[in-house]
């Protein structure tokens, strides 16, 4: 069996459709556990760790224009809470469906002489390569759509204290005494006056002590 040089049939995310034999209506069901590829998810937010097991349930159906691929991927994604920065883990289930067209057939399944003449149409289509298809691009799209853009450890996570960074869920009574900025200047002035009065009193006491000392002499 010849395989396209661009796809390696040993790759766990590359699937072979030759058993369907281009017989419209033919079905094939596959179950496979594969290691997660790199960067499977939303970068720097939440993703399936590289190499983690991804369970795939796939249904292949032969149609006139190619092979319709329908399936579900299950895995565990990891990230951090966007509110309190604590680790977050969730069980992911992503559904996908895509038609992989025969390279020599148009949208209606009719054989065409020169595949790929219409570059704009080809950009939006997936093609079989010598009966093989690569599930990775489809899997990536499905996983990204299934993941939360802003994961949280719990729906009512209060986040972190904006002043000191403490995790509010650990201390529900956590607070800081707020100072009204309208009185802050007056409080500073009062403090300065108190310090001045203390200095003046200290000076008076020193002078009084010196007078008493002279009188005694």
């Amino acid at each position: 069996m010849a395989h396209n040089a661009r796809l390696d049939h040993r790759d766990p995310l590359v699937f072979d459709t030759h058993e369907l034999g281009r017989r419209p209506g033919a079905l094939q069901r596959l179950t496979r556990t594969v290691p997660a590829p790199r960067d499977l998810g939303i970068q720097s937010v939440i993703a399936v760790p590289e190499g983690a097991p991804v369970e795939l349930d796939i249904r292949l159906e032969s149609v006139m224009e190619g092979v319709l691929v329908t399936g579900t991927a299950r895995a565990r994604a990891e990230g951090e809470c966007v509110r309190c920065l604590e680790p977050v883990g969730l069980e992911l289930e992503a559904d996908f469906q895509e038609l992989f067209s025969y390279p020599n057939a148009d949208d209606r399944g009719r054989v065409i002489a020169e595949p790929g003449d219409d570059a704009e149409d080809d950009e939006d289509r997936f093609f079989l390569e010598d009966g093989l298809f690569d599930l990775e691009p489809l899997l990536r799209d499905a996983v990204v759509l299934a993941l939360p853009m802003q994961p949280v450890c719990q729906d009512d996570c209060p986040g972190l204290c904006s002043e000191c960074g403490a995790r509010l869920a650990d201390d529900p009574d956590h607070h800081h005494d707020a100072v009204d900025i309208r009185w802050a200047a007056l409080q500073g002035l009062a403090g300065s006056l108190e310090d001045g009065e203390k200095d003046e009193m200290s000076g008076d006491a020193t002078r009084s002590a010196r007078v008493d000392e002279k009188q005694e002499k």
Side-chain angles (χ1 to χ4, degrees):
M1 184 189 309
H3 295 285
N4 192 295
R6 289 178 293 174
L7 292 181
D8 186 349
H9 68 282
R10 296 168 296 182
D11 187 320
L13 286 173
V14 172
F15 290 80
D16 191 333
T17 67
H18 283 90
E19 289 188 16
L20 297 175
R22 287 204 180 194
R23 300 186 305 274
L27 297 175
Q28 184 179 8
R29 297 182 183 275
L30 302 171
T31 300
R32 183 181 295 184
T33 299
V34 302
R38 185 178 180 181
D39 298 329
L40 182 60
I42 305 172
Q43 193 171 8
S44 302
V45 179
I46 188 168
V48 180
E50 183 178 3
V54 179
E55 297 179 2
L56 299 174
D57 291 326
I58 299 177
R59 178 177 181 267
L60 308 180
E61 180 181 1
S62 179
V63 294
M64 287 294 295
E65 61 268 34
V67 175
L68 182 64
V69 178
T70 306
T72 301
R74 298 179 182 86
R76 181 172 178 79
E78 297 178 1
E80 66 178 25
C81 177
V82 296
R83 297 178 187 170
C84 69
L85 307 182
E86 287 293 302
V88 172
L90 61 86
E91 298 302 322
L92 165 74
E93 184 170 302
D95 297 324
F96 51 85
Q97 185 177 71
E98 188 61 62
L99 174 66
F100 285 83
S101 301
Y102 297 126
N104 59 342
D106 64 12
D107 292 335
R108 297 182 181 180
R110 297 173 300 187
V111 175
I112 56 180
E114 296 295 336
D117 285 344
D118 193 335
E120 291 185 1
D121 289 345
D122 288 352
E123 287 180 0
D124 298 328
R125 299 171 63 187
F126 289 87
F127 288 92
L128 294 170
E129 299 179 6
D130 285 344
L132 303 175
F133 70 87
D134 185 2
L135 188 66
E136 183 172 337
L138 185 58
L139 177 63
R140 287 188 180 280
D141 290 345
V143 168
V144 168
L145 291 175
L147 287 172
M149 295 296 294
Q150 295 186 320
V152 292
C153 58
Q154 54 189 25
D155 292 339
D156 58 350
C157 174
L160 302 176
C161 174
S162 60
E163 294 190 33
C164 67
R167 187 169 182 263
L168 298 179
D170 296 333
D171 183 8
D173 297 326
H174 179 87
H175 70 282
H176 295 272
D177 293 331
V179 177
D180 192 327
I181 60 174
R182 294 173 297 178
W183 296 102
L186 292 178
Q187 289 178 348
L189 179 59
S192 299
L193 292 175
E194 289 178 0
D195 292 340
E197 290 176 357
K198 290 179 181 178
D199 293 340
E200 184 177 349
M201 291 175 62
S202 176
D204 291 343
T206 301
R207 287 193 294 272
S208 177
R210 289 176 180 172
V211 171
D212 293 340
E213 183 179 353
K214 289 179 180 180
Q215 290 178 348
E216 290 178 358
K217 291 180 179 180

